[in-house]
């Protein structure tokens, strides 16, 4: 357990900040030590399907007449959705992915899918099979027993020259419906990383470093990565307004997702940054309506007062829930240290009629004063009513906004953001901090991010980077050179964060997700510091101050020590009819052969990493410690002292 440390006096902290910034900047310029990639091929995802709403095209299609495959959030392994497959009438019915779309001849791939059955369904066996265009069926995994728990199907496959067809999931029970999630095809390449990620981000950075998480993140391999690198978390979705209400509009008595985040921080000595109290999105419509469904009116003082009271009640109930369960704010048992009070209230373009504010229901009914009210009510609840006795202002209250990196003149979004906050400060609104989401793109002008933070230096407020990610805009998979370019982009970002922290304490920097495959922007191109296998990327190396190579490093591909295994001719299986092995199955086709269902995988080629799917493995392989860690080592004591976990 990490022990919370008291904040050092400001004068000493400034000295420490200057030294830390110098170390960080030195590590990102000509004196930086190189961070070496391993000299053997490493895994990367050529296809990764978690069936979340952000995935533009689902490569897994129904297999067999009458089969349907739809996303659902009723049962899932990844944060939001899984794929539910139903309507099966044959054992070979299921879902499939095209071999030719993702695989090259002669290259070895690991294929992984997680499968489970609906509640109360009788258990059966499932497996992954390749239906090749040469008419053969190659068993990628032996049949595995599947019930009401997620089971990983994983094996290796290497398509021969000219092979097309599909890889599919089938069940022995011909009518059983099933769920599938986190399905991946993994290849191996040199120079991409992962780099040595043994240096913890929380030790290398002079400010708290956070990640957006869900209940799924605080378990298993994700939990190990979270514990090693982060000392702050933000609930990605489950403290937003709609997460606190039942279908009958009543406030929940249990919010398991929020609890999981708080539990993690309470047990590790970490911090929770809450998100969000008042927002135009993911807020129940009924909050703005009369009982008959008509909209409250800004022309009616009674309606305006009704909405104010609903806002106050919501904020108070959130604070009460967290205080009742975890102790008063500021006490040793309650890890909440900050909250986004209002989110995304600035228009994307000039809007003189609203003084630059978004024309939301909040604004239409209450005008700009809804922002004042939100901060007043939040300050009352979190820093007074439910604050521990003798603790001064335990919860820092933020406003939060996106796209602040695109200019700072008065006509820009950042200019409107600054003008609003100036008005709030002038009116004495109890606002403490300015949040920058920094959902970036790799082709952004990186200097704009530092300029955005500097634009608020004249205000008596702290700043935070609240939702950081940098997709490459290339889709997936991302090539090695682009990953290096992304590393250099992150390198400059973290350099600017250190510079900002040296000027005035940066409250925290939060990555919006933990690993690429869990990011809402994954399909726009690998946006985070860690890959789907929980390994640090070049972006991670940049964050800890390592030097990023200009071009991919060369590594030696392994030389086969034995001739490839010949694929035996499949033998007929009694009582089972299949379509011909083609990319587009036809139910009227002749019966096709299958291998022995109890046999080892046919034609499986061991992957260079061995040991099955790398998605099932935890942590980095045994890699070489980067010299960058030695560069940062001189600042370790200062860095540890600067970690604000209290």
């Amino acid at each position: 357990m990490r022990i919370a440390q008291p904040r050092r006096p400001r004068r000493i902290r400034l000295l420490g900040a200057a030294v830390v910034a110098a170390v960080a900047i030195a590590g990102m310029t000509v004196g930086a030590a190189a961070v070496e990639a391993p000299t053997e091929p490493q895994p990367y995802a050529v296809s990764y399907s978690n069936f979340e709403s952000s995935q533009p095209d689902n490569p897994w299609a129904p297999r067999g007449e009458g089969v349907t495959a739809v996303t659902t959030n009723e049962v899932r392994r990844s944060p939001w959705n899984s794929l539910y497959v139903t309507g099966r009438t044959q054992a070979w019915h299921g879902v499939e992915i095209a071999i030719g779309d993702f695989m090259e001849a002669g290259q070895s791939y690991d294929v992984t899918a997680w499968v489970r059955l609906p509640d109360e369904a009788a258990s059966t066996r499932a497996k992954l099979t390749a239906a090749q265009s040469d008419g053969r069926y190659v068993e990628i995994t032996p049949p595995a027993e599947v019930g009401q728990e997620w089971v990983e199907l994983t094996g290796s496959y290497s398509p021969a020259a000219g092979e097309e067809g599909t890889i599919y999931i089938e069940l022995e029970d011909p009518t059983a419906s099933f769920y599938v999630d986190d399905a991946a095809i993994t290849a191996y390449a040199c120079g991409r990383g992962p780099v040595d990620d043994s240096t913890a981000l929380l030790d290398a950075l002079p400010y708290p470093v956070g990640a957006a998480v869900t209940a799924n993140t605080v378990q298993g391999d994700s939990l190990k990565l979270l514990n090693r690198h982060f000392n702050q978390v933000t609930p990605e979705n489950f403290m937003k307004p709609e997460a606190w209400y039942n279908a009958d509009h009543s406030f929940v008595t249990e919010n398991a997702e929020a609890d999981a985040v708080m539990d993690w921080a309470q047990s590790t000595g970490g911090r929770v940054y809450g998100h969000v109290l008042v927002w135009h999105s993911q807020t129940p419509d009924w909050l703005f309506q009369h009982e008959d469904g008509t909209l409250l009116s800004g022309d009616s003082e009674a309606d305006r007062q009704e909405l104010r009271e609903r806002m106050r009640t919501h904020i108070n109930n959130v604070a009460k829930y967290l205080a009742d369960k975890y102790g008063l704010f500021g006490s040793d048992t309650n890890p909440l240290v900050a909250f986004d009070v209002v989110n995304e209230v600035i228009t994307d373009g000039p809007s003189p009629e609203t003084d630059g504010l978004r024309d939301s229901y909040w604004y239409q009914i209450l005008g700009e004063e809804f922002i004042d009210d939100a901060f007043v009510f939040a300050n009352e609840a979190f820093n007074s009513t439910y604050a521990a006795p003798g603790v001064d202002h335990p919860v820092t209250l933020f406003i939060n906004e996106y796209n602040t990196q695109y200019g700072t003149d008065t006509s820009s979004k950042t200019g409107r953001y600054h003008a609003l906050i100036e008005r709030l400060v002038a009116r004495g609104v109890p606002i403490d901090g300015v949040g920058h989401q920094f959902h970036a793109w790799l082709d952004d002008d990186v200097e704009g991010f530092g300029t955005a933070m500097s634009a608020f230096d004249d205000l008596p407020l702290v700043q935070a980077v609240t939702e950081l990610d940098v997709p490459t805009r290339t889709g997936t998979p991302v090539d090695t050179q682009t990953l290096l370019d992304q590393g250099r982009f992150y390198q400059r970002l973290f350099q600017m964060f250190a510079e900002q922290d040296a000027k005035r304490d940066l409250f925290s920097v939060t990555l919006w997700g933990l690993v690429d495959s869990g990011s809402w922007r994954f399909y726009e191109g690998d946006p985070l510091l860690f890959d789907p296998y929980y390994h640090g990327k070049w972006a991670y190396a940049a964050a800890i101050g390592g030097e990023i190579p200009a071009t991919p490093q060369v590594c030696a591909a392994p030389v086969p020590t034995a001739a490839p295994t010949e694929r035996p001719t499949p033998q007929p299986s009694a009582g089972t009819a299949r379509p011909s092995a083609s990319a587009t199955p036809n139910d009227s086709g002749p019966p096709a052969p299958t291998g022995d269902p109890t046999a080892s995988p046919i034609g499986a080629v061991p992957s260079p990493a061995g040991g099955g799917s790398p998605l099932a493995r935890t942590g980095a392989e045994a890699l070489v410690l980067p010299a960058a860690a030695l560069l940062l080592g001189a600042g370790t004591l200062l860095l540890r002292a600067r970690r604000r976990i209290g």
Side-chain angles (χ1 to χ4, degrees):
M1 178 182 295
R2 302 186 188 100
I3 305 301
Q5 300 293 329
R7 291 174 66 101
R8 295 197 296 175
R10 175 70 181 173
R11 181 175 61 83
I12 299 176
R13 287 180 52 75
L14 281 174
L15 176 61
V19 174
V20 168
V23 171
I25 294 168
M28 297 178 184
T29 55
V30 294
V35 177
E36 297 293 332
T39 57
E40 69 275 3
Q42 296 296 316
Y44 70 97
V46 297
S47 173
Y48 190 101
S49 300
N50 54 16
F51 309 107
E52 312 295 23
S53 58
S54 60
Q55 185 167 9
D57 297 301
N58 175 20
W60 289 85
R63 177 180 173 84
E65 184 178 359
V67 177
T68 61
V70 296
T71 58
T72 177
N73 62 9
E74 294 181 359
V75 175
R76 74 270 191 187
R77 183 174 182 271
S78 54
W80 280 104
N81 295 325
S82 67
L83 192 68
Y84 184 48
V85 183
T86 190
R88 299 173 63 250
T89 56
Q90 299 284 344
W92 54 265
H93 284 181
V95 286
E96 61 186 355
I97 188 170
I99 292 172
D101 289 350
F102 300 99
M103 297 181 168
E104 297 180 6
Q107 185 167 344
S108 182
Y109 298 86
D110 287 343
V111 185
T112 298
W114 291 80
V115 176
R116 63 155 288 179
L117 303 183
D119 293 341
E120 312 302 329
S123 63
T124 185
R125 296 200 299 172
K127 64 178 179 178
L128 285 165
T129 303
Q132 299 183 161
S133 53
D134 63 359
R136 296 186 178 190
Y137 288 85
V138 177
E139 194 178 71
I140 297 174
T141 67
E145 193 77 13
V146 178
Q148 281 72 49
E149 300 292 334
W150 287 104
V151 172
E152 183 185 34
L153 306 178
T154 182
S156 295
Y157 177 69
S158 181
E163 290 296 354
E164 292 292 335
T166 65
I167 291 172
Y168 67 99
I169 303 169
E170 60 178 320
L171 272 63
E172 287 183 356
D173 183 337
T175 63
S177 299
F178 65 94
Y179 300 95
V180 59
D181 209 347
D182 295 325
I185 297 175
T186 300
Y188 294 81
C190 295
R192 300 173 58 87
V195 301
D196 179 355
D197 57 9
S198 58
T199 299
L201 289 171
L202 56 83
D203 288 331
L205 298 175
Y207 38 74
V209 56
V213 298
T214 67
N216 287 39
T217 313
V218 291
Q219 58 184 318
D221 294 337
S222 295
L223 177 60
K224 295 173 185 176
L225 186 69
L226 182 68
N227 286 345
R228 187 163 76 249
H229 288 286
F230 298 89
N231 51 18
Q232 181 174 291
V233 290
T234 295
E236 186 169 5
N237 281 290
F238 293 95
M239 284 188 187
K240 292 175 179 176
E242 67 182 8
W244 295 101
Y245 292 95
N246 299 309
D248 64 359
H249 305 176
S250 61
F251 197 83
V252 298
T253 56
E254 292 292 331
N255 185 336
E257 289 272 355
D259 292 350
V261 173
M262 294 288 286
D263 289 344
W264 173 84
Q266 188 184 64
S267 65
T268 62
R271 317 186 335 162
V272 174
Y273 185 125
H275 177 78
V276 52
L277 295 172
V278 176
W279 192 23
H280 68 275
S281 182
Q282 290 182 247
T283 298
D285 287 341
W286 59 259
L287 199 68
F288 307 102
Q289 298 171 349
H290 296 108
E291 289 188 6
D292 64 1
T294 58
L295 192 65
L296 297 173
S297 172
D299 296 329
S300 166
E301 186 54 40
D303 284 4
R304 288 165 54 83
Q305 187 58 31
E306 176 66 23
L307 185 56
R308 285 192 196 95
E309 286 305 313
R310 290 178 184 180
M311 180 199 290
R312 184 174 190 168
T313 298
H314 169 72
I315 292 172
N316 187 78
N317 283 344
V318 172
K320 183 177 187 301
Y321 178 97
L322 296 173
D324 285 350
K325 183 159 286 193
Y326 296 96
L328 297 174
F329 301 107
S331 67
D332 291 340
T333 59
N334 193 315
L336 188 92
V337 297
F339 228 114
D340 287 329
V341 177
V342 294
N343 194 44
E344 299 176 358
V345 296
I346 304 298
T347 56
D348 290 329
S351 180
E353 63 276 13
T354 63
D355 212 359
L357 297 184
R358 181 186 296 273
D359 191 23
S360 65
Y361 285 148
W362 289 112
Y363 181 84
Q364 291 172 21
I365 299 168
L366 293 176
E368 183 175 310
E369 67 185 79
F370 88 85
I371 301 172
D372 302 48
D373 291 338
F375 278 99
V376 169
F377 298 156
N379 191 54
E380 176 184 67
F382 289 91
N383 292 319
S384 180
T385 304
Y386 301 107
V391 177
D392 181 35
H393 210 82
V395 179
T396 304
L397 306 177
F398 279 87
I399 190 170
N400 192 39
E401 192 55 75
Y402 66 93
N403 283 358
T404 61
Q405 65 267 27
Y406 300 122
T408 59
D409 60 67
T410 55
S411 65
S412 67
K413 185 171 191 175
T414 301
R416 294 189 291 278
Y417 192 32
H418 188 281
L420 168 64
I421 297 171
E422 275 190 313
R423 297 195 297 271
L424 297 177
V425 171
R427 291 197 293 264
V429 173
I431 179 174
D432 303 315
V434 179
H436 302 269
Q437 293 186 14
F438 287 167
H439 291 300
W441 293 103
L442 184 55
D443 53 8
D444 282 343
D445 177 6
V446 71
E447 297 304 318
F449 298 85
T451 301
M453 290 185 289
S454 295
F456 293 85
D457 286 346
D458 62 321
L459 297 174
L461 305 175
V462 297
Q463 296 191 63
V465 177
T466 57
E467 305 181 24
L468 177 64
D469 47 30
V470 187
T472 60
R473 213 194 284 267
T474 61
T476 58
V478 180
D479 66 78
T480 306
Q481 182 61 59
T482 303
L483 290 176
L484 292 169
D485 296 340
Q486 181 191 52
R488 276 183 288 278
F489 191 99
Y490 266 112
Q491 180 184 65
R492 179 61 183 137
L493 282 182
F494 278 93
Q495 182 178 355
M496 289 186 288
F497 298 159
E499 293 166 353
Q500 184 66 35
D501 188 61
K503 287 189 297 183
R504 178 182 296 175
D505 290 347
L506 193 60
F507 186 85
S508 61
V509 171
T510 295
L511 281 300
W512 205 244
L514 193 64
V515 298
D516 283 337
S517 53
S519 166
W520 69 301
R521 304 179 80 189
F522 171 53
Y523 299 101
E524 294 165 340
D526 295 4
L528 298 171
L529 307 187
F530 298 92
D531 68 19
Y533 313 96
Y534 307 99
H535 295 156
K537 298 159 46 186
W538 289 113
Y540 156 83
I544 64 167
E547 182 183 6
I548 310 302
T551 57
Q553 295 171 295
V554 177
C555 68
V559 178
T561 56
T565 303
E566 289 292 330
R567 296 177 182 171
T569 301
Q571 300 299 314
S573 174
T576 302
R578 293 173 182 257
S580 58
S582 63
T584 305
N586 183 339
D587 281 18
S588 62
T594 180
D596 180 354
T598 63
S600 299
I602 300 171
V605 180
S607 72
S613 166
L615 290 171
R617 297 194 293 269
T618 303
E621 308 294 342
L623 308 177
V624 179
L625 182 68
L630 299 177
L631 177 66
L632 290 172
T636 298
L637 293 177
L638 285 170
L639 293 169
R640 289 184 180 275
R642 287 181 51 76
R643 282 165 49 198
R644 300 191 289 278
I645 316 180

